[in-house]
Amino acid sequence: MARYGRVYKDDKEQEARFMVFKNNVAYIEEFNSKNLAYKLSVNKFADQTNEEFKTTRNRLKFPPTQTAQTTPFRHEDVTEVPSSMDWRKKGAVTPVKDQGQCVQNKGINTEAAYPYTGSDGTCNTKEEGVHAATISGYENVPANNESALLKAVVMQPVSVAVDASKFQFYSSGVLNGTCGTELDHGVTVVGYGTSDDGMKYWLVKNSWGPDWGEAGYIRMQRDIEAKEGMCGIAMMASYPTA
C-alpha cells in the first residue's frame, strides 16, 4: 500500500484487497518455483484479480476484423534479416509511458502523446488534441504470419494487438506457454532476438510505465507453432507509412 499509494475507503475493502493480494502472492511464488522461461513479481497490479486487471487495463477497441489490405505488403521482398534487432539502439523509440486507464480506441498504436497525466493517473482530455506525431497513413502486415511480421520489424517498429491477460505480473524473461488470442491491448514490437537459452523472442514495448516488466518492456516467444503468434501478436499488426 505504501509503495504504490493504495488507499481504500474502509477496513472492509482493505481486507478484501489484502485477500486478493495474498492469493496473487501465492500464485506468483508457485509459478516462479517451476523455473520456467519467465518470472513473475509483485507489482502495482497485485491487489487486483485477473478479471479486474483485464477490465481496467486491457480495453483496446478495434473493428472485429482487420481492414482488408489495399496495397501490397511493401516489405515482402526483404531478404536481409539480421539475427537480432533493437530499434531503441537506433533512436527510433520514445521513452516508456504509463497510459493508466486511458483506452486505446484504434488498432494502431501511433506512439503519439497519450491523453493522460502521470500525477493522478486520470485521463487528460485537454491533451487529447495535442500530438507529438500525427499518422496520416498505415499498412497492415499480412495477418497470422510471423515471417511477414519479422520482415516489417526489420524495417521499423510495428504496432500490434495482443491478448494481455498473462501480462499482469510479468517481471522478466521470455513469455511462453499457453496464451489466449482475444486481442485487448495495443503494444509496439521494437525488435527481436534470441535469449541466452536459445528461445527466439519479440521485444515489445508496453505502456504501463518503466516499473513494469523489463523496464517497461516484455519479451514474447517468437516463431511458435500457432500461426497467430504468442498471445495473438501476429493477428493484427500495422505500421505507419506517412
Side-chain angles (χ1 to χ4, degrees):
M1 289 174 64
R3 181 172 182 179
Y4 297 111
R6 289 290 188 268
V7 178
Y8 305 112
K9 63 181 180 181
D10 53 34
D11 291 343
K12 183 178 180 180
E13 182 186 19
Q14 181 171 325
E15 180 62 26
R17 288 295 157 197
F18 185 45
M19 291 301 296
V20 172
F21 174 81
K22 287 196 292 185
N23 289 336
N24 285 333
V25 170
Y27 168 75
I28 291 168
E29 291 180 346
E30 180 184 7
F31 181 93
N32 288 340
S33 69
K34 298 176 182 177
N35 293 316
L36 301 177
Y38 65 103
K39 295 291 185 182
L40 306 181
S41 68
V42 171
N43 59 23
K44 55 191 173 186
F45 306 127
D47 64 348
Q48 298 177 18
T49 66
N50 190 246
E51 283 302 314
E52 289 172 330
F53 166 75
K54 290 188 291 185
T55 299
T56 58
R57 282 280 167 166
N58 305 339
R59 299 183 295 174
L60 176 66
K61 311 285 187 185
F62 57 89
T65 57
Q66 182 164 319
T67 304
Q69 188 80 6
T70 56
T71 57
F73 176 44
R74 67 176 59 196
H75 303 313
E76 182 64 46
D77 297 329
V78 170
T79 56
E80 295 186 13
V81 178
S83 59
S84 64
M85 175 66 69
D86 187 344
W87 282 102
R88 296 176 300 183
K89 297 179 180 179
K90 299 177 182 293
V93 182
T94 56
V96 171
K97 310 174 185 69
D98 187 352
Q99 72 180 33
Q101 295 183 12
C102 293
V103 181
Q104 297 166 307
N105 58 13
K106 296 181 181 178
I108 181 169
N109 179 353
T110 63
E111 283 296 305
Y114 286 107
Y116 74 92
T117 54
S119 59
D120 60 7
T122 59
C123 291
N124 185 347
T125 55
K126 291 181 180 179
E127 295 296 324
E128 190 170 8
V130 181
H131 304 288
T134 300
I135 304 302
S136 59
Y138 71 94
E139 292 175 354
N140 297 322
V141 177
N144 301 321
N145 187 332
E146 284 197 89
S147 295
L149 181 57
L150 184 68
K151 292 179 180 180
V153 177
V154 167
M155 303 306 294
Q156 63 192 104
V158 176
S159 174
V160 298
V162 295
D163 181 327
S165 56
K166 291 185 68 174
F167 284 22
Q168 185 173 6
F169 302 123
Y170 170 82
S171 176
S172 62
V174 180
L175 183 76
N176 69 337
T178 58
C179 190
T181 56
E182 295 183 12
L183 307 180
D184 58 11
H185 186 52
V187 291
T188 308
V189 179
V190 300
Y192 60 87
T194 304
S195 65
D196 293 339
D197 60 0
M199 184 177 292
K200 294 180 179 180
Y201 65 82
W202 296 109
L203 176 61
V204 178
K205 180 187 178 185
N206 201 358
S207 53
W208 295 340
D211 58 343
W212 176 89
E214 295 182 332
Y217 289 80
I218 180 172
R219 287 181 291 162
M220 302 172 63
Q221 188 176 10
R222 175 168 57 97
D223 288 349
I224 68 171
E225 184 176 345
K227 64 180 182 179
E228 299 88 359
M230 179 60 56
C231 303
I233 195 171
M235 294 174 66
M236 189 178 174
S238 57
Y239 49 88
T241 57

